[in-house]
Amino acid sequence: MTKKIGIPTEKQLPTYLGETNDTVTKIVQLFLEHEGLDSDVIYPQGMSMTFDLPIQEKIFRSIPGMERVEIMQQAVKKAFDTCCQVMGDDKRSVTKWMKAIPSLKIAEKSHLLSGLDILYRHNVSFDDMAKANPSLSPYVGDSNLEERIRIHSMYSTVAERMKMKMEEVRHEAATPIPESIDYSSITGLSMEAMEKLERHKPLSLAAASRIQGVTPDAILLLLRHVKCHLGI
């Protein structure tokens, strides 16, 4: 027996600095399928997720008719965690990655890259990743899992870069900003950041970083401009 359930879900689209804009509503199709003719176990096709067990149970029990459901196995959660850990821990030089994945072409050769970096930055197929690291072989062919790992690799890479940028900003927080600075001369600075910096006229990098709407990228552009062009 297969039962199809439509579940409305709401999602807020994020913008920078933790702000949100419109709410998007969509219907998630959930298929309840028996694991076998003589089995009481139900597989919820279309409801894969990577939340911790208590949150998964709360979500399933909010569905009419499933108020007393028990989760027997967190297959997707376990597979997701395993793959992300394996790929995150697998750090190699560019040369070794290109040897393991012949189709991979990377110009830079001076630092280590993790499997997550390779998956996100160079759009390598999951099948090729599994050939480079056989530990991933059991998970080849699960398109839903692959999609989640790709999303995770994208955000983890972006988060790591953001962390490095914020560390640089914190290290240079005391850098003074000349009152005579011309923000319009800073290449790459957005109009919004430019207007807010002109309006607030911060006297240090720390003060500039506290202005709402001035992103970490803008702060780094400001820092480099001050150091390179103004000799500070």
mmCIF file of all heavy atoms in Angstrom, residues 80 84-85 87-88 114-121 148-164:
data_model
loop_
_atom_site.group_PDB
_atom_site.id
_atom_site.type_symbol
_atom_site.label_atom_id
_atom_site.label_comp_id
_atom_site.label_asym_id
_atom_site.label_seq_id
_atom_site.Cartn_x
_atom_site.Cartn_y
_atom_site.Cartn_z
ATOM 1 N N PHE A 80 24.270 10.800 5.433
ATOM 2 C CA PHE A 80 24.672 12.186 5.219
ATOM 3 C C PHE A 80 25.872 12.536 6.088
ATOM 4 O O PHE A 80 26.873 13.083 5.613
ATOM 5 C CB PHE A 80 23.493 13.113 5.533
ATOM 6 C CG PHE A 80 23.824 14.581 5.476
ATOM 7 C CD1 PHE A 80 23.820 15.256 4.258
ATOM 8 C CD2 PHE A 80 24.128 15.282 6.627
ATOM 9 C CE1 PHE A 80 24.133 16.614 4.204
ATOM 10 C CE2 PHE A 80 24.435 16.636 6.581
ATOM 11 C CZ PHE A 80 24.430 17.299 5.363
ATOM 12 N N CYS A 84 29.668 13.381 4.629
ATOM 13 C CA CYS A 84 30.242 14.704 4.885
ATOM 14 C C CYS A 84 31.540 14.602 5.676
ATOM 15 O O CYS A 84 32.501 15.328 5.407
ATOM 16 C CB CYS A 84 29.231 15.582 5.628
ATOM 17 S SG CYS A 84 27.839 16.117 4.599
ATOM 18 N N GLN A 85 31.569 13.694 6.646
ATOM 19 C CA GLN A 85 32.786 13.531 7.430
ATOM 20 C C GLN A 85 33.917 12.955 6.580
ATOM 21 O O GLN A 85 35.059 13.421 6.646
ATOM 22 C CB GLN A 85 32.534 12.627 8.634
ATOM 23 C CG GLN A 85 33.774 12.464 9.518
ATOM 24 C CD GLN A 85 33.493 11.708 10.800
ATOM 25 O OE1 GLN A 85 32.338 11.493 11.157
ATOM 26 N NE2 GLN A 85 34.547 11.328 11.490
ATOM 27 N N MET A 87 34.331 13.120 3.323
ATOM 28 C CA MET A 87 34.799 14.076 2.325
ATOM 29 C C MET A 87 35.481 15.279 2.968
ATOM 30 O O MET A 87 36.428 15.839 2.407
ATOM 31 C CB MET A 87 33.620 14.528 1.460
ATOM 32 C CG MET A 87 33.009 13.397 0.659
ATOM 33 S SD MET A 87 31.529 13.867 -0.243
ATOM 34 C CE MET A 87 32.237 14.907 -1.490
ATOM 35 N N GLY A 88 35.014 15.672 4.149
ATOM 36 C CA GLY A 88 35.649 16.788 4.838
ATOM 37 C C GLY A 88 37.035 16.440 5.346
ATOM 38 O O GLY A 88 37.942 17.278 5.357
ATOM 39 N N SER A 114 39.794 19.770 0.414
ATOM 40 C CA SER A 114 39.032 18.637 0.926
ATOM 41 C C SER A 114 38.110 18.112 -0.165
ATOM 42 O O SER A 114 37.891 18.766 -1.200
ATOM 43 C CB SER A 114 38.205 19.052 2.144
ATOM 44 O OG SER A 114 37.120 19.875 1.748
ATOM 45 N N GLY A 115 37.542 16.939 0.077
ATOM 46 C CA GLY A 115 36.582 16.392 -0.866
ATOM 47 C C GLY A 115 35.378 17.294 -1.045
ATOM 48 O O GLY A 115 34.822 17.395 -2.143
ATOM 49 N N LEU A 116 34.964 17.982 0.020
ATOM 50 C CA LEU A 116 33.835 18.920 -0.066
ATOM 51 C C LEU A 116 34.191 20.092 -0.966
ATOM 52 O O LEU A 116 33.350 20.586 -1.726
ATOM 53 C CB LEU A 116 33.442 19.407 1.332
ATOM 54 C CG LEU A 116 32.809 18.360 2.250
ATOM 55 C CD1 LEU A 116 32.601 18.928 3.648
ATOM 56 C CD2 LEU A 116 31.486 17.845 1.684
ATOM 57 N N ASP A 117 35.445 20.574 -0.866
ATOM 58 C CA ASP A 117 35.893 21.653 -1.748
ATOM 59 C C ASP A 117 35.808 21.221 -3.208
ATOM 60 O O ASP A 117 35.327 21.966 -4.068
ATOM 61 C CB ASP A 117 37.349 22.036 -1.438
ATOM 62 C CG ASP A 117 37.509 22.688 -0.085
ATOM 63 O OD1 ASP A 117 36.605 23.428 0.320
ATOM 64 O OD2 ASP A 117 38.536 22.448 0.566
ATOM 65 N N ILE A 118 36.287 20.017 -3.485
ATOM 66 C CA ILE A 118 36.302 19.506 -4.858
ATOM 67 C C ILE A 118 34.880 19.365 -5.395
ATOM 68 O O ILE A 118 34.578 19.753 -6.528
ATOM 69 C CB ILE A 118 37.019 18.139 -4.923
ATOM 70 C CG1 ILE A 118 38.501 18.287 -4.557
ATOM 71 C CG2 ILE A 118 36.875 17.512 -6.296
ATOM 72 C CD1 ILE A 118 39.291 19.135 -5.528
ATOM 73 N N LEU A 119 33.983 18.840 -4.572
ATOM 74 C CA LEU A 119 32.599 18.621 -4.995
ATOM 75 C C LEU A 119 31.919 19.944 -5.320
ATOM 76 O O LEU A 119 31.218 20.054 -6.338
ATOM 77 C CB LEU A 119 31.823 17.889 -3.898
ATOM 78 C CG LEU A 119 30.424 17.387 -4.276
ATOM 79 C CD1 LEU A 119 30.527 16.225 -5.248
ATOM 80 C CD2 LEU A 119 29.651 16.968 -3.032
ATOM 81 N N TYR A 120 32.129 20.951 -4.491
ATOM 82 C CA TYR A 120 31.445 22.234 -4.677
ATOM 83 C C TYR A 120 32.130 23.119 -5.716
ATOM 84 O O TYR A 120 31.514 23.563 -6.677
ATOM 85 C CB TYR A 120 31.366 22.976 -3.342
ATOM 86 C CG TYR A 120 31.020 24.440 -3.488
ATOM 87 C CD1 TYR A 120 29.833 24.826 -4.096
ATOM 88 C CD2 TYR A 120 31.894 25.433 -3.038
ATOM 89 C CE1 TYR A 120 29.515 26.173 -4.252
ATOM 90 C CE2 TYR A 120 31.585 26.767 -3.188
ATOM 91 C CZ TYR A 120 30.397 27.132 -3.792
ATOM 92 O OH TYR A 120 30.102 28.463 -3.956
ATOM 93 N N ARG A 121 33.421 23.324 -5.544
ATOM 94 C CA ARG A 121 34.123 24.311 -6.377
ATOM 95 C C ARG A 121 34.392 23.829 -7.797
ATOM 96 O O ARG A 121 34.526 24.625 -8.717
ATOM 97 C CB ARG A 121 35.439 24.707 -5.709
ATOM 98 C CG ARG A 121 35.250 25.465 -4.399
ATOM 99 C CD ARG A 121 36.568 25.685 -3.684
ATOM 100 N NE ARG A 121 37.509 26.425 -4.505
ATOM 101 C CZ ARG A 121 38.768 26.670 -4.143
ATOM 102 N NH1 ARG A 121 39.216 26.200 -2.987
ATOM 103 N NH2 ARG A 121 39.574 27.350 -4.930
ATOM 104 N N ARG A 148 21.827 16.787 -1.129
ATOM 105 C CA ARG A 148 22.019 17.353 0.205
ATOM 106 C C ARG A 148 23.502 17.588 0.502
ATOM 107 O O ARG A 148 23.871 18.587 1.121
ATOM 108 C CB ARG A 148 21.411 16.422 1.261
ATOM 109 C CG ARG A 148 19.888 16.404 1.235
ATOM 110 C CD ARG A 148 19.323 15.443 2.266
ATOM 111 N NE ARG A 148 17.869 15.513 2.276
ATOM 112 C CZ ARG A 148 17.163 16.399 2.965
ATOM 113 N NH1 ARG A 148 17.787 17.290 3.704
ATOM 114 N NH2 ARG A 148 15.851 16.388 2.918
ATOM 115 N N ILE A 149 24.339 16.671 0.066
ATOM 116 C CA ILE A 149 25.777 16.815 0.306
ATOM 117 C C ILE A 149 26.326 17.993 -0.496
ATOM 118 O O ILE A 149 27.174 18.750 -0.006
ATOM 119 C CB ILE A 149 26.518 15.516 -0.055
ATOM 120 C CG1 ILE A 149 26.095 14.398 0.898
ATOM 121 C CG2 ILE A 149 28.031 15.714 0.034
ATOM 122 C CD1 ILE A 149 26.604 13.028 0.507
ATOM 123 N N ARG A 150 25.836 18.164 -1.726
ATOM 124 C CA ARG A 150 26.290 19.297 -2.536
ATOM 125 C C ARG A 150 25.890 20.625 -1.884
ATOM 126 O O ARG A 150 26.666 21.579 -1.860
ATOM 127 C CB ARG A 150 25.707 19.214 -3.953
ATOM 128 C CG ARG A 150 26.374 18.167 -4.817
ATOM 129 C CD ARG A 150 25.948 18.262 -6.267
ATOM 130 N NE ARG A 150 26.608 17.250 -7.067
ATOM 131 C CZ ARG A 150 27.835 17.368 -7.554
ATOM 132 N NH1 ARG A 150 28.526 18.476 -7.326
ATOM 133 N NH2 ARG A 150 28.382 16.406 -8.264
ATOM 134 N N ILE A 151 24.675 20.671 -1.365
ATOM 135 C CA ILE A 151 24.228 21.891 -0.675
ATOM 136 C C ILE A 151 25.090 22.143 0.553
ATOM 137 O O ILE A 151 25.528 23.269 0.823
ATOM 138 C CB ILE A 151 22.748 21.775 -0.284
ATOM 139 C CG1 ILE A 151 21.872 21.760 -1.541
ATOM 140 C CG2 ILE A 151 22.333 22.920 0.640
ATOM 141 C CD1 ILE A 151 20.414 21.459 -1.290
ATOM 142 N N HIS A 152 25.360 21.076 1.309
ATOM 143 C CA HIS A 152 26.206 21.199 2.497
ATOM 144 C C HIS A 152 27.608 21.653 2.122
ATOM 145 O O HIS A 152 28.192 22.516 2.794
ATOM 146 C CB HIS A 152 26.276 19.856 3.228
ATOM 147 C CG HIS A 152 27.270 19.842 4.353
ATOM 148 N ND1 HIS A 152 27.022 20.441 5.573
ATOM 149 C CD2 HIS A 152 28.537 19.326 4.427
ATOM 150 C CE1 HIS A 152 28.083 20.286 6.360
ATOM 151 N NE2 HIS A 152 29.007 19.611 5.689
ATOM 152 N N SER A 153 28.166 21.084 1.042
ATOM 153 C CA SER A 153 29.522 21.452 0.637
ATOM 154 C C SER A 153 29.589 22.917 0.237
ATOM 155 O O SER A 153 30.571 23.607 0.525
ATOM 156 C CB SER A 153 29.997 20.559 -0.517
ATOM 157 O OG SER A 153 29.276 20.817 -1.699
ATOM 158 N N MET A 154 28.528 23.402 -0.403
ATOM 159 C CA MET A 154 28.490 24.806 -0.803
ATOM 160 C C MET A 154 28.491 25.718 0.423
ATOM 161 O O MET A 154 29.313 26.628 0.544
ATOM 162 C CB MET A 154 27.249 25.080 -1.652
ATOM 163 C CG MET A 154 27.092 26.539 -2.042
ATOM 164 S SD MET A 154 25.589 26.856 -2.994
ATOM 165 C CE MET A 154 24.333 26.587 -1.738
ATOM 166 N N TYR A 155 27.592 25.438 1.374
ATOM 167 C CA TYR A 155 27.476 26.306 2.537
ATOM 168 C C TYR A 155 28.669 26.176 3.480
ATOM 169 O O TYR A 155 29.088 27.157 4.091
ATOM 170 C CB TYR A 155 26.166 26.028 3.285
ATOM 171 C CG TYR A 155 24.977 26.655 2.615
ATOM 172 C CD1 TYR A 155 24.061 25.882 1.906
ATOM 173 C CD2 TYR A 155 24.778 28.025 2.642
ATOM 174 C CE1 TYR A 155 22.978 26.463 1.260
ATOM 175 C CE2 TYR A 155 23.709 28.623 2.011
ATOM 176 C CZ TYR A 155 22.804 27.834 1.322
ATOM 177 O OH TYR A 155 21.736 28.420 0.684
ATOM 178 N N SER A 156 29.228 24.971 3.599
ATOM 179 C CA SER A 156 30.379 24.808 4.484
ATOM 180 C C SER A 156 31.590 25.533 3.922
ATOM 181 O O SER A 156 32.379 26.132 4.668
ATOM 182 C CB SER A 156 30.708 23.321 4.682
ATOM 183 O OG SER A 156 31.088 22.712 3.471
ATOM 184 N N THR A 157 31.750 25.515 2.589
ATOM 185 C CA THR A 157 32.860 26.229 1.958
ATOM 186 C C THR A 157 32.687 27.731 2.112
ATOM 187 O O THR A 157 33.632 28.454 2.446
ATOM 188 C CB THR A 157 32.951 25.860 0.462
ATOM 189 O OG1 THR A 157 33.117 24.448 0.329
ATOM 190 C CG2 THR A 157 34.124 26.564 -0.194
ATOM 191 N N VAL A 158 31.461 28.203 1.871
ATOM 192 C CA VAL A 158 31.178 29.637 2.022
ATOM 193 C C VAL A 158 31.371 30.066 3.472
ATOM 194 O O VAL A 158 31.942 31.124 3.757
ATOM 195 C CB VAL A 158 29.747 29.960 1.550
ATOM 196 C CG1 VAL A 158 29.375 31.390 1.907
ATOM 197 C CG2 VAL A 158 29.623 29.741 0.051
ATOM 198 N N ALA A 159 30.904 29.227 4.411
ATOM 199 C CA ALA A 159 31.037 29.550 5.835
ATOM 200 C C ALA A 159 32.504 29.614 6.257
ATOM 201 O O ALA A 159 32.894 30.476 7.047
ATOM 202 C CB ALA A 159 30.292 28.510 6.673
ATOM 203 N N GLU A 160 33.311 28.708 5.719
ATOM 204 C CA GLU A 160 34.741 28.702 6.052
ATOM 205 C C GLU A 160 35.419 29.966 5.521
ATOM 206 O O GLU A 160 36.240 30.570 6.211
ATOM 207 C CB GLU A 160 35.404 27.457 5.465
ATOM 208 C CG GLU A 160 36.860 27.288 5.847
ATOM 209 C CD GLU A 160 37.079 27.146 7.344
ATOM 210 O OE1 GLU A 160 36.193 26.620 8.038
ATOM 211 O OE2 GLU A 160 38.159 27.581 7.816
ATOM 212 N N ARG A 161 35.062 30.363 4.311
ATOM 213 C CA ARG A 161 35.624 31.592 3.755
ATOM 214 C C ARG A 161 35.191 32.802 4.579
ATOM 215 O O ARG A 161 35.987 33.706 4.847
ATOM 216 C CB ARG A 161 35.168 31.760 2.304
ATOM 217 C CG ARG A 161 35.783 30.767 1.335
ATOM 218 C CD ARG A 161 35.246 31.021 -0.064
ATOM 219 N NE ARG A 161 35.730 30.024 -1.011
ATOM 220 C CZ ARG A 161 35.310 29.925 -2.253
ATOM 221 N NH1 ARG A 161 34.386 30.764 -2.704
ATOM 222 N NH2 ARG A 161 35.802 29.011 -3.062
ATOM 223 N N MET A 162 33.911 32.818 4.978
ATOM 224 C CA MET A 162 33.399 33.920 5.780
ATOM 225 C C MET A 162 34.115 33.983 7.125
ATOM 226 O O MET A 162 34.440 35.069 7.622
ATOM 227 C CB MET A 162 31.894 33.758 5.984
ATOM 228 C CG MET A 162 31.239 34.914 6.722
ATOM 229 S SD MET A 162 31.334 36.462 5.812
ATOM 230 C CE MET A 162 30.205 36.124 4.465
ATOM 231 N N LYS A 163 34.375 32.831 7.707
ATOM 232 C CA LYS A 163 35.081 32.777 8.978
ATOM 233 C C LYS A 163 36.480 33.373 8.853
ATOM 234 O O LYS A 163 36.932 34.137 9.715
ATOM 235 C CB LYS A 163 35.176 31.326 9.458
ATOM 236 C CG LYS A 163 35.870 31.151 10.795
ATOM 237 C CD LYS A 163 35.926 29.685 11.196
ATOM 238 C CE LYS A 163 36.680 29.501 12.508
ATOM 239 N NZ LYS A 163 36.748 28.065 12.888
ATOM 240 N N MET A 164 37.177 33.037 7.764
ATOM 241 C CA MET A 164 38.508 33.574 7.535
ATOM 242 C C MET A 164 38.472 35.092 7.350
ATOM 243 O O MET A 164 39.337 35.815 7.851
ATOM 244 C CB MET A 164 39.134 32.899 6.308
ATOM 245 C CG MET A 164 39.418 31.414 6.504
ATOM 246 S SD MET A 164 39.934 30.590 4.976
ATOM 247 C CE MET A 164 41.469 31.477 4.643
#
